[in-house]
Amino acid sequence: MIEDKQSYLNDLNEAQEKPVLKINGPSMVIAGAGSGKTRVLTYKIVHLIKNGIDPFEILALTFTNKAAREMKSRISSMIGDGESKNIWMGTFHSVFAKILRFEAHKIGFTSDFTIYDVQDSERLISSIIKEMNLDKDSYRPKTIRNRISSLKNSFISVNAYFSNSDLTESDKLSKRPKTGDIYKEYSDRLVKSNSMDFDDLLLKTNELLNNFPEVLAKYQEKFKYILVDEYQDTNNSQYLIVKSLADKYQNICVVGDDAQSIYSFRGANINNIINFRNDYDDVEVYRLEQNYRSTKYIVNAANSVIDNNKNKIHKEVWTDNEFGDKIQITANPSDIAEARLISQKILNLIKSENNYKDFVVLYRTNAQSRVIEDSLRNSNIPYKIYGGVSFYNRKEIKDILAYLRLVVNNNDEESLKRIINYPPRGIGQVTINKIIIGSKNNNLSIYETIKSAKNLNLGLSNSSITKLENFINQIEVFKIQNKKLSAFEITDLVIKETKIIDELRKDESPESIARVENIQELLNGIRDFIDDQKEIADSKNNLSEFLSNVSLATDFDIDLKLSEDFVSLMSLHSSKGLEFKNVFIVGLEEDLFPSALSYNSRDDLEEERRLFYVGITRAKKNLYISYANSRYRWGKLISCEESRFIDEIDNDFIDFKDNNDFSVLQKKSKPSPFIKQKILRKGNFRHLSSVKSNSDFQTKVSVGDKVQHLKFGKGQVIRLEGDNDNVKAKIKFEKIGDKNLLLKFAKLKVL
């Protein structure tokens, strides 16, 4: 049903209505978090049409298909399907692809050109590198593709690249002097195959508008009214296209929030929104400052943080919502304690008008999910990784686990096939197929077939047999070492000897850095496992025990098909645009958040602060911020310093809590002396000589005592045996059943 002509304006507050009513001239809407910016964009389009603007003359650009669909749906309900379909609305890439299909012949393409995705591009680049006989370790397809993508998004063509000595010199210093030649061949091959990659959709549109004035004039005339969503996320190429199209009539409205500009690593330039007023004449600036999402304490806390940035557009976000509870900031003795506190908090809150889907845990790096996942799983709390995969299912983790499983069980064929040529050792699929056939013909496992390859008629070359022998010898050495090393030590050895990290570091992409962080976290997880196993009587701390523990982790599968009720886990970057009733932000420590990589410049540090602002403003009702006084890095326990961002939250909006006594959470107006003792000079870590002592826990219990364990929860002592330092307690826990614990290590409190 089409709404009444003027009724839509009644849905807007005064601040939202002002930019909607402005029809002609340039305007910028600075929209604070939760202030209804999408509504403003949608209603402005409706208002334009209601006031006689032809929908064919309106161009609306978004960053996601989801945003475009939602806006189209709402507009259709207000003005009808017929007119709404005439609006040019969609993502930058989809709209410009449409323009390019109309004008393809002018730039040497046909209208049915193919669009290459990332995988297509990498395959083509890989072929070019091979044909040019370049070193595959120096010229990795993903690295080269990222470099070419960066050049295109900076509007740097092949000719422009070769004319820029800074660019060519930079690639020479990176030991990739042939990057320009690859770029040229890649571009030529795309043209020959009548194809464009995603970046070309922007680059070619820019070239089209710059090189063909009649085309520019045509689309300036066509798109008399231009609206852009999330303008703070535009890159240089998108900025230039929009500026060219809007230059004639200047009826442009951009909506965004400089305080939520967090994608510079993708090429986004915050200065596009900061300097918008300099690009057009008589720009009207509107501010949407009323937050409809969060409580007063959360909004005020977010304001106090972002006020520390210098490069920003001033606004004062406010809300009419209730004050709510203050932000809880908790110091924890370790990242394990931090994770367990989160699980306990969720279990407590789930009893009072909350569902699991009301909770989200946000972290700076994906590697941090491991300890959170372990804790949620142990507490039987359903969860999902948003925009990613769970820790033990990540490729680099599965690769290392495959090595470890093969060390423990040589007959594990799937693990063997996964890593026989990873990292690459020149064992191709033809060789592997011959081994598989030989194993069937000789009734041997694949591993035994490889060991006996010299004596079997497998049809392998001497070179292939030598490579297979080297692989088997490496695994055999690991097997010998495994008999005398702990789970941590053998894993550390496997990682170093296989040079998996060296392989990952050849690719300098952010994804590669994240994979290395995940491997680091795997080692941390094994160290945590060993610490926990000290409590368990008769535990051997060996690799088999750890792999059994991992198997239980990967088998954890609460049936979410019947119920979509689960806790969300995600990176702070992934959380933008979402909202949750209860938000946990973990790991607020120097060198972690803010990232150690952000200390090089004010711009980088301010982007980290904006990322924290985004995290805070995801919360509707409750916000919990936490940090650890110690955590493992590469298996070594280090002392951590609380993040500078915590100090930037006004004291009036927070409650500090000290989780160093796990059974009691005492409210404090400031951090405890224990916390202050842990604080170091900014940017530094120091190693701890040993794990925190067990003096905080009780080693004397009696049969019948009701106890609480840091990890296993509540239980009752049913038997004691042994003497002196070797007293064992059999405890029946409510959730997991019987456990035999060594009291000198057990983390117990008598209730």
Side-chain angles (χ1 to χ4, degrees):
M1 177 180 291
I2 301 174
E3 297 181 3
D4 177 72
K5 186 172 182 180
Q6 293 299 322
S7 65
Y8 61 92
L9 294 177
N10 297 330
D11 298 335
L12 306 173
N13 65 28
E14 184 179 351
Q16 292 170 335
E17 185 177 323
K18 286 179 180 178
V20 166
L21 293 177
K22 181 177 174 61
I23 293 177
N24 295 309
S27 61
M28 176 170 64
V29 182
I30 301 301
S35 63
K37 72 175 180 61
T38 304
R39 172 171 288 197
V40 167
L41 265 180
T42 303
Y43 281 57
K44 185 173 180 68
I45 293 171
V46 170
H47 188 69
L48 289 173
I49 296 169
K50 296 273 191 182
N51 282 271
I53 306 303
D54 190 338
F56 283 100
E57 296 180 343
I58 298 173
L59 171 64
L61 296 168
T62 69
F63 271 87
T64 66
N65 289 314
K66 179 174 178 282
R69 283 194 304 270
E70 288 176 354
M71 287 173 62
K72 281 180 182 176
S73 175
R74 182 61 176 146
I75 291 168
S76 294
S77 72
M78 298 173 74
I79 64 172
D81 283 342
E83 287 300 311
S84 66
K85 287 179 179 176
N86 297 330
I87 303 166
W88 277 56
M89 180 185 294
T91 65
F92 281 87
H93 288 88
S94 66
V95 168
F96 298 153
K98 189 175 177 181
I99 291 174
L100 287 170
R101 292 202 186 279
F102 283 123
E103 312 295 339
H105 60 284
K106 289 186 171 64
I107 53 174
F109 291 82
T110 67
S111 61
D112 58 352
F113 63 81
T114 300
I115 299 175
Y116 275 21
D117 62 18
V118 172
Q119 289 73 30
D120 295 327
S121 296
E122 285 184 11
R123 277 194 292 269
L124 176 55
I125 290 169
S126 180
S127 297
I128 293 169
I129 291 168
K130 190 173 182 180
E131 292 164 15
M132 295 175 71
N133 294 315
L134 298 173
D135 178 30
K136 62 182 181 181
D137 288 336
S138 296
Y139 293 90
R140 297 176 72 83
K142 182 173 285 187
T143 303
I144 299 299
R145 191 203 69 79
N146 287 343
R147 176 62 166 160
I148 292 173
S149 175
S150 175
L151 292 169
K152 288 185 175 183
N153 283 320
S154 296
F155 198 30
I156 298 170
S157 65
V158 171
N159 291 337
Y161 171 85
F162 281 113
S163 300
N164 189 319
S165 59
D166 288 341
L167 293 173
T168 54
E169 192 61 32
S170 172
D171 284 326
K172 284 178 184 176
L173 292 173
S174 298
K175 297 181 179 179
R176 288 187 285 269
K178 295 291 185 181
T179 298
D181 295 332
I182 299 172
Y183 185 14
K184 183 179 186 308
E185 181 63 20
Y186 173 69
S187 298
D188 290 346
R189 295 271 275 273
L190 285 174
V191 173
K192 286 177 185 176
S193 61
N194 193 38
S195 301
M196 297 187 197
D197 62 21
F198 277 142
D199 300 311
D200 281 329
L201 299 178
L202 302 181
L203 180 66
K204 298 297 182 186
T205 302
N206 257 314
E207 290 178 353
L208 180 71
L209 299 179
N210 281 341
N211 298 336
F212 298 90
E214 73 280 10
V215 174
L216 175 59
K218 171 184 173 180
Y219 287 100
Q220 284 179 335
E221 200 63 35
K222 179 173 182 57
F223 301 132
K224 292 188 175 73
Y225 294 85
I226 298 174
L227 301 96
V228 185
D229 191 17
E230 303 286 8
Y231 192 66
Q232 78 281 348
D233 292 334
T234 53
N235 62 26
N236 191 43
S237 196
Q238 291 161 334
Y239 163 80
L240 290 172
I241 295 170
V242 170
K243 193 169 187 307
S244 295
L245 291 173
D247 192 52
K248 182 175 182 180
Y249 289 100
Q250 297 203 4
N251 295 323
I252 179 171
C253 174
V254 300
V255 180
D257 183 5
D258 58 295
Q260 296 187 67
S261 179
I262 58 173
Y263 295 124
S264 66
F265 64 94
R266 294 181 187 168
N269 186 349
I270 189 176
N271 290 317
N272 291 346
I273 193 168
I274 296 286
N275 297 327
F276 181 81
R277 283 168 288 190
N278 301 328
D279 290 333
Y280 301 92
D281 302 325
D282 301 320
V283 175
E284 287 278 359
V285 179
Y286 302 96
R287 289 174 173 79
L288 303 184
E289 296 173 315
Q290 183 174 1
N291 179 299
Y292 290 94
R293 176 186 299 155
S294 309
T295 64
K296 282 187 173 65
Y297 278 129
I298 292 170
V299 168
N300 291 339
N303 286 340
S304 67
V305 168
I306 206 64
D307 279 349
N308 288 274
N309 273 6
K310 296 193 175 192
N311 190 27
K312 66 179 187 290
I313 298 172
H314 178 74
K315 62 180 176 297
E316 191 65 38
V317 181
W318 58 277
T319 184
D320 268 341
N321 293 341
E322 63 181 358
F323 274 96
D325 293 331
K326 290 186 176 183
I327 288 85
Q328 286 188 18
I329 299 180
T330 308
N332 299 273
S334 68
D335 53 342
I336 304 172
E338 179 182 46
R340 289 172 182 166
L341 180 74
I342 289 169
S343 295
Q344 191 57 53
K345 193 74 176 173
I346 291 172
L347 290 174
N348 289 340
L349 290 172
I350 208 75
K351 299 171 185 175
S352 56
E353 298 182 8
N354 284 284
N355 297 308
Y356 288 120
K357 65 183 178 183
D358 295 326
F359 296 88
V360 67
V361 183
L362 304 178
Y363 34 76
R364 178 63 183 83
T365 67
N366 285 316
Q368 290 171 260
S369 79
R370 194 272 310 169
V371 68
I372 306 294
E373 289 185 63
D374 286 351
S375 180
L376 294 176
R377 196 164 47 245
N378 289 334
S379 299
N380 208 34
I381 296 173
Y383 70 88
K384 271 191 178 180
I385 305 287
Y386 182 92
V389 295
S390 60
F391 183 80
Y392 292 109
N393 284 323
R394 293 169 191 168
K395 180 190 178 299
E396 59 280 5
I397 302 303
K398 294 183 79 170
D399 289 337
I400 293 171
L401 292 177
Y403 270 103
L404 301 180
R405 287 180 172 128
L406 191 60
V407 168
V408 171
N409 175 16
N410 294 159
N411 294 324
D412 186 341
E413 291 192 2
E414 291 307 308
S415 292
L416 186 150
K417 286 187 285 187
R418 184 181 185 94
I419 48 88
I420 191 171
N421 195 41
Y422 185 77
R425 48 175 62 89
I427 301 174
Q429 192 58 48
V430 173
T431 299
I432 295 170
N433 290 341
K434 288 179 179 179
I435 295 167
I436 293 171
I437 293 170
S439 73
K440 290 179 180 176
N441 291 341
N442 293 281
N443 197 27
L444 296 171
S445 70
I446 293 179
Y447 192 87
E448 289 298 328
T449 303
I450 296 173
K451 284 184 74 174
S452 306
K454 261 188 176 179
N455 304 319
L456 299 173
N457 186 21
L458 301 177
L460 299 173
S461 67
N462 289 334
S463 173
S464 294
I465 290 174
T466 299
K467 291 170 183 174
L468 291 168
E469 285 178 342
N470 291 338
F471 169 68
I472 288 293
N473 289 340
Q474 187 177 58
I475 300 300
E476 290 294 313
V477 169
F478 292 155
K479 286 170 63 179
I480 293 168
Q481 294 295 323
N482 185 43
K483 293 177 182 177
K484 54 187 178 184
L485 298 178
S486 70
F488 174 83
E489 292 165 334
I490 186 63
T491 305
D492 191 38
L493 180 69
V494 167
I495 291 169
K496 287 175 180 174
E497 292 298 319
T498 57
K499 294 183 168 50
I500 283 179
I501 289 178
D502 291 344
E503 179 68 17
L504 290 173
R505 281 180 172 154
K506 290 174 184 175
D507 178 0
E508 299 166 359
S509 67
E511 293 85 359
S512 181
I513 294 171
R515 290 191 180 104
V516 173
E517 289 174 343
N518 285 333
I519 292 175
Q520 173 188 348
E521 189 56 34
L522 175 65
L523 286 171
N524 298 342
I526 298 174
R527 185 65 86 183
D528 291 342
F529 168 79
I530 289 174
D531 286 347
D532 283 346
Q533 292 300 99
K534 288 178 181 177
E535 299 181 53
I536 309 297
D538 306 321
S539 173
K540 298 174 182 176
N541 292 336
N542 63 20
L543 190 56
S544 294
E545 286 183 345
F546 172 71
L547 291 175
S548 295
N549 191 61
V550 170
S551 294
L552 293 174
T554 52
D555 283 344
F556 178 77
D557 184 21
I558 294 176
D559 190 358
L560 295 173
K561 292 178 183 177
L562 297 177
S563 171
E564 286 296 313
D565 191 22
F566 50 81
V567 175
S568 294
L569 273 62
M570 68 186 75
S571 70
L572 282 143
H573 281 100
S574 296
S575 72
K576 188 168 175 288
L578 304 176
E579 60 181 37
F580 294 86
K581 185 177 178 183
N582 308 290
V583 172
F584 295 89
I585 307 179
V586 301
L588 261 290
E589 299 142 34
E590 288 291 302
D591 285 8
L592 185 56
F593 194 23
S595 164
L597 300 176
S598 69
Y599 299 154
N600 294 327
S601 70
R602 177 176 296 280
D603 287 346
D604 291 342
L605 184 60
E606 290 199 348
E607 178 150 333
E608 287 288 294
R609 188 175 285 113
R610 292 194 295 271
L611 186 58
F612 186 41
Y613 175 85
V614 167
I616 292 172
T617 54
R618 299 312 93 198
K620 295 165 70 174
K621 185 173 181 181
N622 296 307
L623 176 62
Y624 306 95
I625 296 170
S626 57
Y627 64 95
N629 292 312
S630 66
R631 68 173 62 236
Y632 282 112
R633 294 275 176 95
W634 294 108
K636 294 179 180 178
L637 193 65
I638 58 164
S639 182
C640 305
E641 175 190 4
E642 70 175 83
S643 170
R644 68 190 73 187
F645 294 156
I646 289 178
D647 292 335
E648 293 173 358
I649 304 176
D650 194 302
N651 230 31
D652 292 338
F653 312 139
I654 57 179
D655 271 338
F656 273 101
K657 294 178 181 292
D658 186 347
N659 188 33
N660 290 293
D661 178 350
F662 80 94
S663 64
V664 181
L665 291 176
Q666 296 290 342
K667 284 195 174 182
K668 298 181 182 293
S669 60
K670 60 182 180 179
S672 70
F674 178 85
I675 301 170
K676 288 299 182 186
Q677 289 168 13
K678 290 288 183 182
I679 294 179
L680 309 171
R681 292 176 182 269
K682 289 202 180 297
N684 293 330
F685 290 107
R686 63 177 171 84
H687 294 298
L688 300 181
S689 58
S690 63
V691 179
K692 189 173 181 282
S693 76
N694 208 46
S695 59
D696 288 345
F697 304 105
Q698 289 162 285
T699 57
K700 292 184 179 181
V701 297
S702 303
V703 173
D705 280 351
K706 291 185 177 180
V707 295
Q708 180 160 343
H709 185 272
L710 183 59
K711 178 178 179 181
F712 305 134
K714 293 180 180 178
Q716 186 170 21
V717 179
I718 56 178
R719 189 173 70 234
L720 294 171
E721 58 183 55
D723 51 28
N724 299 325
D725 282 346
N726 296 312
V727 178
K728 299 177 188 176
K730 185 172 185 178
I731 302 174
K732 188 176 186 65
F733 290 101
E734 293 176 0
K735 292 182 180 178
I736 62 168
D738 295 351
K739 284 281 185 183
N740 291 311
L741 304 184
L742 284 168
L743 286 182
K744 66 178 178 180
F745 294 118
K747 299 176 178 66
L748 293 173
K749 293 279 188 181
V750 176
L751 299 177

